[in-house]
Each structure stands twice: as C-alpha cells, then as structure tokens.
Amino acid sequence: MNNIGFNVLAWSAVISDDLKPVVERLKTIGYDGVEFFIGAPGDAAYKWMGEYTRDLRLGVTTVFVVGKDENPISNQPSVRSKALDRIKWAIDRAHDLNSPILCGPFHSAHAHFAKRAPEDQEYEWGAEVLRAAGEYAAQANITLALEALNRFECYLCNTMQQLLRLVKAVDLPNVQAMFDTHHGNIEEKSFSGAILTIAPVLAHVHISENDRGTPGDGQVRFDDAFSGLANMHYKGWLTIEAFSRNDPDFANSIGVWREYSKPWDIAEKGLQFIREMCSKHGL
C-alpha cells in the first residue's frame, strides 16, 4: 500500500512545539508521515522537527509557495534571481526536515495574475529558474514536485497538460509533478485522463475534497482518481491536504473563511477513506 500522509496546515503553517502533540497523534492514528509548510522564518525549527519526526519514525514531505516579489516567471531578472534564492532556501529547509519531496506551485507567484494567458517566454523563464533549483536540490537527493493550481490561484499551470509542458522544459529527473484532486476537480475533464497525462513524471499526490474538508464526503470523483493512480501503478505518497481557520494568518492568505470539517475528523475519517479506496482499486 502507498504511504499515507497528512498535511499539518490544518492546524498551523508555523513549525513550533504546538505541533508536537499533533504529529504524535497522527502517528498513533496510523499515518505513515506528515507534511509541513515551508515558509515561516526560524531555520532552527525545521532542524529540530526533522529530528523529532525521525525519532518517531514518521516520513516527511514538504510544501512551499512563492510570492510576487520572488516570482520565477517575472520579466525582471532581479526578481527571478530572488525566486531562485528563495527556492534554494526552501530546499535547505526540506533537507533539515529529512523530506525527500518538496512540492507546491513554486513555478510562479501564488495568486498573482498578469491579466492575460501565460506566454511562451514565461514557461522558458520558469524552466530556467527551476532547472537551477533542481540541480541544487539533487545535491540533497530532493525531488521538486511542481503543482498545478486552479484558475483562481494561478495562471501559468492550471492543468496537467500545462504542468507537463513545464516539467519537460526543465528536463531534470528530480524535477517532477504532483496532482491535487481539489484543483483537478475544477480544471480537468476527468481525473483518470489527467493522471494518464502526468503519469510519466508524477511524484506526489494530494487527496483533497472539493471544499477542502474530509475526503470522501464531497463532490470529488475519487473512484476515477484512484483508478487512474492504480492503472499507472503509482507508488508515491497519498497526502491529505485540508484547511481550517486554526491559523488565521494562513487561512486569510488563501481565502479560508469558514470551517469545513474538524481537523481530527478529517484526519481520522480521511485515513479510513484512503485505505478503503486503495483496497478497492488495488493500490
């Protein structure tokens, strides 16, 4: 069975002692690993959390975004340079956390739009920055798993077809892709078709309901998603990414204005749901 993880953004975007009981309980429930957001300053926290999760024998994955002042597809070379520096910093923090996967939409600035369709030059600029980042990440045996977002959060990569174009342009074995069922639910015609498209470079999967609540209790066609993953013999992480207002600063930054499900209900019911779907579809 694939490893199953839970993203602790349901509680906090900041690594602190407050996350210790959360991590411990996720281990007790039966999760194979946890996913942390990389963004907050305080480099030492990433190191001790990496040691803490290692001692608990929990796997770790990480997620990361960039803003408009560090945009890999900016027309300003100085901003693209800042983007590379920021991604390298995130790679270092992923290494501190013992995370072999750094995922997320850091191919372009989150929620920053050009008020037009993406241009060929932007894919070229993004590929150039990500190629340098991938070469840096390879030294730490870290895979960069780029994420396509829905049209309300990103304009460069909304679909697996667009994401595949970017990954191919980078052309490095450790710069790959991830698939998130929440975004796919908005942008793709079918999950199985999208997964078939991205299968050659798929390195990570987020299991997310349409409302970011408990997987399986909404409108996402998970049978289509899991059958697609089974057909490609996917062996990577299945990580629940759900949100709440427990961390108001983070919630405000991504437009979370209400509670969808209680985090522990999501964790407990979500784990059971993923196990059932894996069994059903032979993952």
Side-chain angles (χ1 to χ4, degrees):
M1 182 177 287
N2 299 71
N3 285 329
I4 303 175
F6 198 94
N7 192 315
V8 299
L9 279 171
W11 288 276
S12 178
V14 179
I15 294 177
S16 70
D17 287 335
D18 293 340
L19 281 178
K20 283 185 176 180
V22 172
V23 170
E24 290 174 359
R25 184 170 171 182
L26 289 169
K27 169 72 174 181
T28 300
I29 288 173
Y31 279 92
D32 301 298
V34 289
E35 188 164 275
F36 295 103
F37 177 73
I38 292 178
D43 294 0
Y46 297 95
K47 190 71 174 179
W48 68 250
M49 182 58 82
E51 296 171 352
Y52 183 71
T53 49
R54 182 188 58 206
D55 291 344
L56 288 175
R57 296 185 178 180
L58 274 173
V60 171
T61 59
T62 46
V63 63
F64 171 66
V65 300
V66 291
K68 66 178 182 179
D69 295 330
E70 50 207 20
N71 188 359
I73 63 171
S74 170
N75 61 6
Q76 300 179 45
S78 61
V79 175
R80 298 199 300 275
S81 178
K82 289 179 181 178
L84 179 57
D85 289 343
R86 182 65 172 169
I87 297 171
K88 285 182 175 180
W89 173 84
I91 291 166
D92 289 342
R93 303 294 74 76
H95 180 65
D96 289 342
L97 285 163
N98 303 308
S99 169
I101 295 279
L102 177 63
C103 72
F106 49 91
H107 44 66
S108 57
H110 181 256
H112 178 67
F113 302 94
K115 297 183 180 180
R116 53 163 171 73
E119 298 179 342
D120 291 345
Q121 180 66 76
E122 291 175 307
Y123 284 102
E124 293 172 12
W125 280 329
E128 181 181 359
V129 170
L130 292 166
R131 190 177 303 114
E135 291 170 349
Y136 185 79
Q139 300 174 65
N141 295 316
I142 289 174
T143 294
L144 306 182
L146 303 173
E147 179 179 14
L149 300 186
N150 69 73
R151 70 195 75 176
F152 308 108
E153 299 182 51
C154 166
Y155 74 96
L156 186 75
C157 292
N158 299 136
T159 67
M160 291 301 101
Q161 193 66 54
Q162 291 174 307
L163 187 60
L164 182 62
R165 172 186 177 178
L166 180 60
V167 171
K168 283 185 173 180
V170 177
D171 194 26
L172 287 178
N174 70 316
V175 178
Q176 298 191 19
M178 66 164 290
F179 183 71
D180 186 308
T181 56
H182 171 81
H183 300 296
N185 185 62
I186 297 171
E187 299 295 342
E188 303 288 357
K189 297 296 186 182
S190 76
F191 289 115
S192 55
I195 290 167
L196 179 63
T197 295
I198 206 67
V201 293
L202 184 62
H204 195 56
V205 172
H206 276 172
I207 301 298
S208 304
E209 193 48 88
N210 67 287
D211 67 349
R212 292 293 194 181
T214 304
D217 72 355
Q219 299 178 6
V220 170
R221 294 172 292 180
F222 280 112
D223 278 309
D224 189 27
F226 277 86
S227 66
L229 292 170
N231 287 338
M232 66 159 284
H233 306 292
Y234 176 70
K235 302 298 183 184
W237 283 90
L238 299 168
T239 296
I240 294 176
E241 186 182 58
F243 298 140
S244 76
R245 285 199 55 81
N246 279 350
D247 184 334
D249 289 339
F250 176 75
N252 294 344
S253 73
I254 59 168
V256 173
W257 310 118
R258 59 188 173 85
E259 298 296 351
Y260 308 121
S261 307
K262 295 179 179 178
W264 286 114
D265 284 347
I266 299 172
E268 293 171 359
K269 294 176 182 178
L271 178 60
Q272 180 181 352
F273 176 73
I274 291 176
R275 285 174 171 170
E276 289 172 355
M277 295 300 285
C278 285
S279 178
K280 180 179 181 179
H281 292 281
L283 268 175

